Amino acid sequence: MKKLLILCLLVMTGTRLFAQEKVFVLPNTPTEKPVTGQYFYYMLPTTALQVEVTLTKTIEFKGYYGDYAEKLLGLTRVISDNKITYNLKNVHVNVSTMPDTTRVYGVELSKAQVKSGFLSRVHENRGVEFTRVPLQDYTVVRAVMPEFFRDYADFAYTKIDDSFLDTRIVNGIVSQVPVSQTKVVSKTLGQKAQEAADFILNIRKDRYHLLSGEDEAAYPEGTFARMIDELNVLERNYLALFTGFTLEEEEKICFTIFPDEKQNRHLLFSLDTEAGFSPTVSMNTEQNYYLVFTPMLCSRQFEDGIAGARGQKYKGKANAGYRVRYPVPVSLSLQCDNRVLQEMGTLPFLQWGKIETLPAREDHFDILSKVIVY
């Protein structure tokens, strides 16, 4: 796993670092003078979101004897077809810091900095680190089909007695002799359903006999309760042969997004109840889910706050000093079809902060605690 380090400048009290020669934006413009001395590059950090989407996948199975449910048992609320449906269970976001590859700068060191070994300290004193997470991950919690349905089998054949008169000639006399034989024939689906329905009726009779005490047997309390429970389970299993049954699985999709400060709505995914998750927009607006960003500070408030904190109103010049930016609180909400589904709180976002150019030759500023050096 690749790791990028946010470097912190470790400066002892009273230590003075000599100012840099200049800071330039990459890529360089043709009018800029070439860099001839020692230098290092840095990127501004940006705020990324690790999004975790959890779906519930419901699998409906039609009962083996579903077509006979109403005829044999009078059941009308049954699963008529095998079907899979998806529903949104939860959306969770985590903030992480990533390098902003569109904001890259070079720093040319002064002769005093080179002489003092500033560059070696930059690459040795690595402070706060963060780990790059996978851009996408997918996991499934599988449901297991109950053994009763997985292993259910009914005898496909049955024996029937067949009686008929066989014509025979004995000593020249023609006579008819009664003959009886057993045949093995295939069961129809209707016959299998009838046997299952009869078995359900027998279960109910057995349970009634136990509860009414008709057999006059004195069972221990624990044994009696266990017998009733087993009959209930057996009845539910056989009823499911007619009504059908469902299984639920859980799917979890994790991915990374980089919100754009120029767009306050970011498409997360679309969700079709039959097709499931998709990272692309759907023509059906009711299937699209967005993260909506609402900055809690406007640009003017932010600029005034930074200037006031520095105690002076400084307007930076091109290629003057270090470029930095500070996070802005942004409110997040999950929306679908312009309906707010979930308020996700207020988080700090760097890309909504204005890039500020510090004074040239700033030598007391802890720049490495706010940028990513590589």
Side-chain angles (χ1 to χ4, degrees):
M1 185 178 293
K2 296 181 179 178
K3 295 185 177 180
L4 293 173
L5 303 179
I6 299 180
L7 307 183
C8 296
L9 183 60
L10 306 179
V11 183
M12 301 298 293
T13 305
T15 301
R16 177 183 178 87
L17 291 181
F18 301 98
Q20 79 286 349
E21 185 68 23
K22 72 171 182 175
V23 179
F24 50 92
V25 181
L26 294 177
N28 299 45
T29 62
T31 58
E32 287 184 318
K33 296 180 180 180
V35 178
T36 56
Q38 295 192 39
Y39 55 90
F40 67 92
Y41 297 124
Y42 75 86
M43 290 178 285
L44 293 183
T46 189
T47 302
L49 291 179
Q50 308 300 322
V51 183
E52 181 181 278
V53 179
T54 305
L55 306 177
T56 300
K57 178 181 178 181
T58 303
I59 310 171
E60 296 183 352
F61 293 89
K62 179 182 177 182
Y64 300 140
Y65 310 134
D67 294 335
Y68 299 89
E70 184 174 7
K71 177 181 177 181
L72 299 179
L73 296 175
L75 301 174
T76 56
R77 299 181 63 181
V78 300
I79 297 174
S80 56
D81 295 291
N82 295 332
K83 186 170 61 173
I84 297 177
T85 56
Y86 295 86
N87 289 288
L88 180 64
K89 181 179 180 180
N90 184 46
V91 175
H92 181 73
V93 297
N94 284 318
V95 174
S96 79
T97 304
M98 297 286 190
D100 187 345
T101 56
T102 65
R103 299 287 188 270
V104 184
Y105 304 92
V107 180
E108 183 179 0
L109 303 181
S110 65
K111 294 180 180 180
Q113 284 179 315
V114 173
K115 186 176 180 180
S116 68
F118 175 78
L119 188 60
S120 62
R121 290 197 297 273
V122 166
H123 293 293
E124 289 174 2
N125 299 328
R126 300 187 177 272
V128 181
E129 73 174 36
F130 68 91
T131 303
R132 182 181 292 276
V133 296
L135 290 181
Q136 188 163 357
D137 191 18
Y138 175 79
T139 57
V140 179
V141 179
R142 297 289 184 188
V144 179
M145 181 176 288
E147 292 183 3
F148 178 83
F149 303 102
R150 186 181 66 237
D151 302 330
Y152 177 78
D154 194 2
F155 290 108
Y157 300 92
T158 187
K159 295 180 180 180
I160 61 172
D161 294 327
D162 186 18
S163 299
F164 59 93
L165 294 176
D166 186 18
T167 301
R168 298 179 182 178
I169 301 175
V170 181
N171 297 327
I173 299 174
V174 178
S175 60
Q176 291 184 326
V177 180
V179 177
S180 178
Q181 67 179 15
T182 301
K183 291 182 178 180
V184 178
V185 296
S186 302
K187 288 183 184 179
T188 65
L189 186 62
Q191 288 174 321
K192 295 179 182 179
Q194 183 64 63
E195 291 179 357
D198 292 341
F199 191 73
I200 292 173
L201 295 179
N202 290 332
I203 292 173
R204 292 174 177 176
K205 289 178 181 178
D206 292 341
R207 183 173 55 208
Y208 175 77
H209 290 156
L210 283 174
L211 293 173
S212 63
E214 288 186 5
D215 54 2
E216 299 182 357
Y219 297 105
E221 183 177 352
T223 302
F224 181 81
R226 186 167 62 253
M227 293 169 65
I228 295 297
D229 289 342
E230 289 180 357
L231 286 172
N232 289 339
V233 171
L234 195 58
E235 181 186 12
R236 286 196 297 268
N237 286 340
Y238 270 86
L239 276 174
L241 295 175
F242 292 88
T243 61
F245 61 97
T246 62
L247 296 178
E248 283 194 356
E249 296 182 347
E250 189 174 275
E251 295 187 359
K252 189 172 293 184
I253 305 100
C254 300
F255 53 94
T256 304
I257 66 169
F258 297 86
D260 186 349
E261 67 276 13
K262 298 177 182 178
Q263 297 179 351
N264 287 350
R265 277 166 57 94
H266 186 102
L267 174 71
L268 282 184
F269 59 91
S270 60
L271 181 62
D272 188 298
T273 55
E274 296 182 358
F277 176 93
S278 173
T280 58
V281 66
S282 170
M283 297 298 294
N284 184 350
T285 58
E286 295 182 355
Q287 297 177 352
N288 297 320
Y289 291 79
Y290 294 87
L291 269 185
V292 177
F293 304 89
T294 306
M296 308 304 290
L297 284 175
C298 68
S299 298
R300 174 51 55 192
Q301 288 174 313
F302 185 79
E303 291 176 8
D304 291 345
I306 293 299
R310 290 176 49 207
Q312 59 178 333
K313 288 189 177 293
Y314 172 81
K315 184 175 292 186
K317 300 178 181 179
N319 297 328
Y322 290 112
R323 274 67 161 184
V324 295
R325 62 182 171 191
Y326 300 85
V328 169
V330 178
S331 176
L332 272 71
S333 63
L334 178 68
Q335 296 188 11
C336 177
D337 197 26
N338 292 322
R339 292 179 293 109
V340 177
L341 304 180
Q342 181 181 350
E343 294 288 353
M344 311 189 81
T346 301
L347 300 173
F349 280 83
L350 286 160
Q351 51 267 53
W352 265 272
K354 181 178 176 58
I355 296 178
E356 183 186 11
T357 302
L358 298 180
R361 298 182 177 276
E362 179 76 61
D363 58 358
H364 283 295
F365 185 71
D366 186 11
I367 180 62
L368 298 183
S369 65
K370 296 174 175 62
V371 302
I372 300 171
V373 176
Y374 67 100

